[in-house]
Amino acid sequence: MGIGSIWERGGSGKLKGGTHRRHNKQMELYKGFFTGDYLEHITSIGPRTTGSPENEILTVHYLLEQIKLIEVQSSSLHRISVDVQRPTGSFSIDFLGGFTSYYDNITNVVVKLEPRDGAQHAVLANCHFDSVANSPGASDDAVSCSVMLEVLRVLSTSSEALRHAVIFLFNGAEENVLQASHGFITQHPWASLIRAFINLEAAGVGGKELVFQTGPENPWLVQAYVSAAKHPFASVVAQEVFQSGIIPSDTDFRIYRDFGNIPGIDLAFIENGYIYHTKYDTADRILTDSIQRAGDNILAVLKYLATSDVLPSSSKYRHGHMVFFDVLGLFVIAYPSRVGSIINYMVVTAAVLYLGKKWLRPKQKTGNYTKDFFCGLGITLVSWFTSLVTVLIIAVFVSLIGRSLSWYNHFYVSVCLYGTAAAAKIILIHTLAKRFYYMNASDRYLGEVFFDISLFVHCVSLTALTSQGLCSAFISAVWVAFPLLTKFCTRKDFKQHGAQGKFIALYLSGMFVPYLYALYLIWAVFEMFTPILGRSGTEIPPDVVLASILAGCTMILSSYFINFIYLARSTKRTMLSLTLVCVVTFLLVCSGAFFPYSSHPASPKPKRVFLQHMTRTFHDLDGNVVKRDSGIWINGFDYTGMSHITPHIPEINESIRAHCEENAPLCGFPWYLPVHFLIRKNWYLPAPEVSPGNPAHFRLVSKEQTPWDSIKLTFEATGPSHMSFYIRTHEGSTLSQWSLGNGTPVTSKGGDYFVFYSHGLQASAWRFWIEVQVLEERPEGMVTVAIAAHHLSGEEKRSSQLDALKDRFPDWTFPSAWVCTYSLFVF
């Protein structure tokens, strides 16, 4: 029975969503005697950073209260157990260049729903109730926790018995780089029961929840999702793109995979990533349709797995990969990758036989076909290369004159600027080739030659992707198989005079499937990547990235229409139209007609800025203070820097650009995460000192020489819930081991060491040690360490100067602000 049908009949939970776009009215999807508005209540608590009362007390109390109500109503067939876990631990991760994480007394709320007689195996459902600072975190990830509460209620009141347990983990420290999931999977006694998991995440606000990771291997999980999900939406393309590291993000999926050795399914909302991790991520923006879809799918899949015969012996089915993809969001096709490889090579074989038959014909029958084919291949590659170079020149110029991201709030601008330029250049090269190289060849002959060239290029792509073991190769298979079938169907019509109309109709019909699916995938790519380019740092020119993607899309989409350039009498009008659109758009972009950001209530696209009011203290080898300063450290998260801010706040300009402290780790700034290599442009506005109520204290507890001739330094630190610790060894010294992670120090990009620390409430002092191997003693010491304390919640995160500056930022920005301190020591 679906979630909707059960919830509409009554129950303990009411989970409210947003405003429906079509009907423009508030829809209350779930009605019952009790009115526990899960999503609205959680988000009304406000930002829920780990260690804050909002996260550790108010949200936890609310969750336990709702779980208790659900337990009271549960069926006698089921048993509910609840545990509040407060783990402490440490681990290293290669995310963001590599760093180490340490957590103390953070919070997990764990619920086990099992048959009355117990269960030996379980499936895990995971969400996180914490949020980033200064965001209500409705989509990331309060809505998932709300859905899980309702799924727990529905399953617990069901009259159908479960075979296996379902463990619901409401984790309270995911935004602290996956700490709570690590604490659960490595320390909780119920973790040993888990055979598979479902992780609920968000990379946007609402829309369809996309399955973007599965496994590792364990093809039976994909089959379970395809069989059970009522509204499946999945893509192996998304999985391979995400796992390539192109997207600077990670989820709890990684922790369960790497530290628990458990297979799973990773789902995330991907629509409207512009407001992800901002103040706009509110409950009213999440459509009830999105919540209904997610609820239907999660309930169905969990129920399927909890009654599955495969779950207890899942290790027997662990080997193998799956090719899976949805067809326009209607249904999912899935098959083993080995079957996919067979299909791919069969398609390649058919294409090779078709092309080989032409290549091997006697010259008197084919004329100069082989020569024309390979010359045409060269012309096609030149057209693509010059197309890419053209759009890159435009993108670099636009970036240099300070007009980057002009398309961020008007996506059509990117298509009109870069897409038209790419298409016009491709048409121009082929028009010149037709006029000056192929002037004696017939149009029909050239049309056939260039169709064969496009087929050959996609065939090479299919072979390369398949040989690399990439499941995404199925896309190239589609681009070979359907055009090849189309060619066989239109061959007679193509050769007959006066049948051009019928040929074009059949040709377009045959190309409908690959082009429709390509446009569908391209839409998904831009839906996800465009918002990411607005928060990808100051070092990656987003126009260059977007122009390259658009050029690639143009090459693919134009591939089977190049032959029409040779069949057409003239391409002059098409080229002029494309060039005119490109030139007009270029002039408008250069004039600043398209502002990148928006504060429109219905669809905000804010510029993200971090403001840290900090006081820095630098000590020398003798412990004396050699430098002390205070100011507001400003980081813009996109390529435009502060160029759009300066007209509104004149004192934020190039004259206050922050300078790197060369002898300090990570340039002597209080980085919250090691993203220094992504954001190299920052600003430092002088301001009075800050004196937070819970200041950080750091001291050297002991210094001793080990029997293996290294120096062991033991430190102790106390302070707010979030601190960052940085280490740089001096020349002649190396960091050999420490008490963090697995004992082996992990460097960040640049060679320094970064440790991310957080704690819940009532944590003890953080004591740890490092060992330094001194190969050569030097007067400047052996190691420099620094500690930054981040005050992210309560009144401590504010200062009068910070509030005053924040209020001056225009409404199309999202300034996230907090107070911090930074202390550096040399040993």
Side-chain angles (χ1 to χ4, degrees):
M1 189 177 291
I3 276 186
S5 59
I6 295 176
W7 283 346
E8 286 166 4
R9 293 181 183 181
S12 65
K14 184 174 74 177
L15 186 150
K16 280 190 175 181
T19 305
H20 197 289
R21 286 174 180 158
R22 288 187 181 174
H23 304 296
N24 195 29
K25 65 180 182 179
Q26 193 74 10
M27 292 177 61
E28 196 170 277
L29 196 61
Y30 316 118
K31 298 181 179 180
F33 180 75
F34 297 101
T35 56
D37 297 344
Y38 302 141
L39 178 58
E40 289 192 352
H41 192 106
I42 294 173
T43 54
S44 69
I45 294 171
R48 303 170 301 282
T49 54
T50 301
S52 68
E54 291 81 3
N55 192 68
E56 309 298 326
I57 298 175
L58 297 179
T59 308
V60 170
H61 180 268
Y62 176 74
L63 290 172
L64 293 174
E65 187 180 69
Q66 298 307 309
I67 293 166
K68 185 65 177 176
L69 291 174
I70 291 170
E71 186 177 6
V72 169
Q73 296 185 58
S74 64
S75 167
S76 59
L77 292 173
H78 312 291
R79 182 172 65 193
I80 293 179
S81 306
V82 184
D83 182 47
V84 178
Q85 183 197 21
R86 311 275 187 189
T88 296
S90 180
F91 62 97
S92 296
I93 190 170
D94 61 4
F95 177 54
L96 293 177
F99 65 96
T100 299
S101 184
Y102 184 95
Y103 54 90
D104 185 11
N105 205 42
I106 57 176
T107 304
N108 282 322
V109 177
V110 196
V111 184
K112 181 168 69 170
L113 175 69
E114 60 184 336
R116 177 58 61 182
D117 297 331
Q120 299 300 312
H121 310 280
V123 57
L124 171 71
N126 176 79
C127 72
H128 67 92
F129 57 84
D130 66 315
S131 72
V132 295
N134 305 307
S135 173
S139 69
D140 189 24
D141 194 30
V143 66
S144 297
C145 291
S146 303
V147 167
M148 275 176 46
L149 280 171
E150 192 65 5
V151 169
L152 170 62
R153 185 192 68 79
V154 172
L155 288 175
S156 67
T157 56
S158 171
S159 59
E160 184 179 346
L162 302 175
R163 290 188 58 188
H164 315 296
V166 181
I167 295 174
F168 296 84
L169 173 59
F170 302 86
N171 88 59
E174 190 272 349
E175 299 295 356
N176 283 12
V177 201
L178 322 177
Q179 290 178 336
S181 56
H182 181 270
F184 171 78
I185 205 63
T186 60
Q187 300 176 41
H188 200 282
W190 293 347
S192 61
L193 303 177
I194 298 170
R195 304 292 175 261
F197 69 89
I198 298 176
N199 183 50
L200 310 183
E201 257 298 347
V205 180
K208 297 177 180 180
E209 76 287 354
L210 170 69
V211 173
F212 66 99
Q213 285 192 101
T214 64
E217 298 194 79
N218 287 272
W220 66 275
L221 266 178
V222 175
Q223 293 169 337
Y225 174 82
V226 172
S227 300
K230 294 184 177 298
H231 315 284
F233 183 43
S235 174
V236 73
V237 179
Q239 172 173 293
E240 292 181 344
V241 168
F242 188 83
Q243 293 181 352
S244 71
I246 294 174
I247 300 175
S249 184
D250 223 327
T251 73
D252 287 323
F253 180 98
R254 179 195 187 112
I255 298 296
Y256 299 131
R257 178 194 68 194
D258 294 353
F259 293 93
N261 196 29
I262 301 169
I265 300 173
D266 213 358
L267 300 98
F269 294 110
I270 63 168
E271 189 176 289
N272 197 9
Y274 298 98
I275 59 178
Y276 165 77
H277 279 189
T278 72
K279 65 181 179 182
Y280 300 106
D281 185 9
T282 52
D284 61 303
R285 294 186 184 277
I286 303 177
L287 302 182
T288 49
D289 287 351
S290 298
I291 300 172
Q292 181 70 65
R293 279 180 48 88
D296 286 345
N297 285 340
I298 301 308
L299 175 61
V301 176
L302 282 177
K303 192 172 181 180
Y304 183 94
L305 292 174
T307 56
S308 168
D309 295 327
V310 177
L311 190 72
S313 55
S314 57
S315 59
K316 296 179 181 178
Y317 309 96
R318 63 174 301 181
H319 296 295
H321 298 276
M322 291 288 285
V323 178
F324 59 93
F325 54 93
D326 68 283
V327 179
L328 306 180
L330 301 175
F331 57 91
V332 170
I333 295 174
Y335 49 88
S337 61
R338 62 181 182 277
V339 174
S341 296
I342 294 171
I343 293 172
N344 294 347
Y345 285 125
M346 288 175 63
V347 172
V348 169
T349 301
V352 169
L353 289 173
Y354 165 77
L355 294 171
K357 185 178 179 181
K358 290 189 171 184
W359 291 339
L360 297 176
R361 279 180 183 174
K363 284 191 176 181
Q364 60 268 26
K365 290 187 178 181
T366 60
N368 293 318
Y369 173 83
T370 304
K371 176 186 173 184
D372 291 338
F373 176 91
F374 285 104
C375 288
L377 177 61
I379 291 167
T380 300
L381 296 177
V382 167
S383 72
W384 287 351
F385 176 74
T386 54
S387 170
L388 178 61
V389 170
T390 300
V391 298
L392 288 179
I393 290 172
I394 297 172
V396 169
F397 181 83
V398 167
S399 301
L400 290 175
I401 65 171
R403 297 302 181 189
S404 187
L405 290 171
S406 295
W407 39 265
Y408 192 64
N409 188 35
H410 319 274
F411 185 73
Y412 62 87
V413 172
S414 64
V415 177
C416 293
L417 181 60
Y418 301 122
T420 56
K425 197 56 178 273
I426 290 172
I427 294 173
L428 174 63
I429 297 298
H430 284 284
T431 301
L432 293 174
K434 177 183 177 182
R435 180 173 298 180
F436 297 108
Y437 184 78
Y438 291 117
M439 57 279 222
N440 297 321
S442 71
D443 294 345
R444 286 184 176 82
Y445 170 74
L446 291 176
E448 185 160 348
V449 168
F450 279 91
F451 173 88
D452 294 347
I453 288 168
S454 297
L455 187 72
F456 174 78
V457 170
H458 286 289
C459 191
V460 170
S461 171
L462 173 58
T463 304
L465 293 174
T466 305
S467 65
Q468 291 296 313
L470 295 174
C471 295
S472 301
F474 79 89
I475 300 173
S476 293
V478 170
W479 278 84
V480 175
F482 281 89
L484 194 57
L485 289 172
T486 302
K487 182 64 176 176
F488 291 144
C489 294
T490 60
R491 196 167 185 176
K492 291 182 179 179
D493 296 301
F494 183 76
K495 292 182 177 179
Q496 291 176 1
H497 291 280
Q500 288 90 344
K502 184 179 180 182
F503 162 74
I504 292 174
L506 288 172
Y507 188 87
L508 294 178
S509 299
M511 295 296 175
F512 179 76
V513 171
Y515 273 85
L516 180 64
Y517 191 72
L519 289 171
Y520 176 66
L521 275 183
I522 289 169
W523 165 82
V525 166
F526 287 115
E527 180 77 32
M528 178 172 285
F529 271 95
T530 306
I532 289 174
L533 290 174
R535 57 177 189 267
S536 57
T538 63
E539 301 307 296
I540 302 172
D543 276 66
V544 170
V545 176
L546 191 69
S548 302
I549 295 174
L550 277 168
C553 293
T554 305
M555 294 171 198
I556 294 170
L557 294 176
S558 68
S559 58
Y560 284 110
F561 282 96
I562 289 174
N563 53 337
F564 282 96
I565 298 174
Y566 295 88
L567 291 170
R569 291 182 180 179
S570 173
T571 58
K572 188 180 294 184
R573 287 185 180 179
T574 304
M575 277 196 297
L576 285 175
S577 299
L578 291 170
T579 304
L580 181 63
V581 171
C582 179
V583 170
V584 170
T585 307
F586 177 74
L587 294 174
L588 289 172
V589 167
C590 292
S591 68
F594 303 107
F595 191 67
Y597 313 106
S598 170
S599 60
H600 192 284
S603 182
K605 295 181 175 65
K607 176 182 176 65
R608 299 161 189 259
V609 182
F610 275 13
L611 308 175
Q612 294 171 246
H613 190 176
M614 66 176 181
T615 294
R616 300 191 299 176
T617 307
F618 297 79
H619 301 82
D620 62 13
L621 188 58
D622 298 321
N624 301 316
V625 175
V626 294
K627 180 179 178 180
R628 187 177 175 89
D629 61 17
S630 296
I632 298 176
W633 188 42
I634 304 166
N635 281 288
F637 267 53
D638 64 43
Y639 192 74
T640 64
M642 293 293 116
S643 59
H644 295 291
I645 304 295
T646 302
H648 299 269
I649 311 175
E651 56 266 42
I652 302 179
N653 54 57
E654 291 302 301
S655 67
I656 63 162
R657 280 281 293 273
H659 300 289
C660 178
E661 296 283 346
E662 297 294 343
N663 295 323
L666 276 68
C667 284
F669 287 109
W671 291 100
Y672 180 73
L673 286 172
V675 294
H676 52 290
F677 63 96
L678 293 173
I679 307 172
R680 298 187 186 275
K681 299 174 188 174
N682 27 68
W683 289 256
Y684 192 35
L685 185 65
E689 289 191 6
V690 291
S691 300
N694 180 27
H697 296 285
F698 180 80
R699 69 185 183 95
L700 175 66
V701 176
S702 65
K703 177 181 178 180
E704 54 186 301
Q705 187 160 353
T706 67
W708 42 91
D709 292 331
S710 63
I711 305 298
K712 182 178 180 180
L713 302 174
T714 302
F715 301 108
E716 185 177 271
T718 59
S721 60
H722 292 74
M723 294 189 287
S724 306
F725 184 66
Y726 323 96
I727 305 172
R728 173 179 291 181
T729 54
H730 297 179
E731 188 176 350
S733 301
T734 58
L735 194 62
S736 57
Q737 57 181 323
W738 57 10
S739 59
L740 306 170
N742 63 2
T744 302
V746 173
T747 58
S748 295
K749 281 198 174 181
D752 295 330
Y753 298 85
F754 186 101
V755 181
F756 181 89
Y757 167 87
S758 77
H759 69 70
L761 297 177
Q762 301 175 343
S764 56
W766 178 30
R767 181 170 290 203
F768 61 98
W769 54 262
I770 64 173
E771 277 192 18
V772 182
Q773 194 78 41
V774 181
L775 305 176
E776 181 183 352
E777 291 191 12
R778 290 181 173 270
E780 65 270 20
M782 57 183 176
V783 65
T784 296
V785 302
I787 190 165
H790 305 277
H791 300 265
L792 298 177
S793 61
E795 288 300 312
E796 288 184 354
K797 75 173 185 177
R798 302 176 59 183
S799 71
S800 57
Q801 295 82 11
L802 196 57
D803 289 344
L805 180 63
K806 184 179 175 182
D807 290 342
R808 294 176 61 191
F809 274 78
D811 56 3
W812 42 263
T813 63
F814 172 63
S816 185
W818 69 92
V819 165
C820 61
T821 59
Y822 177 96
S823 299
L824 179 143
F825 305 88
V826 181
F827 298 98

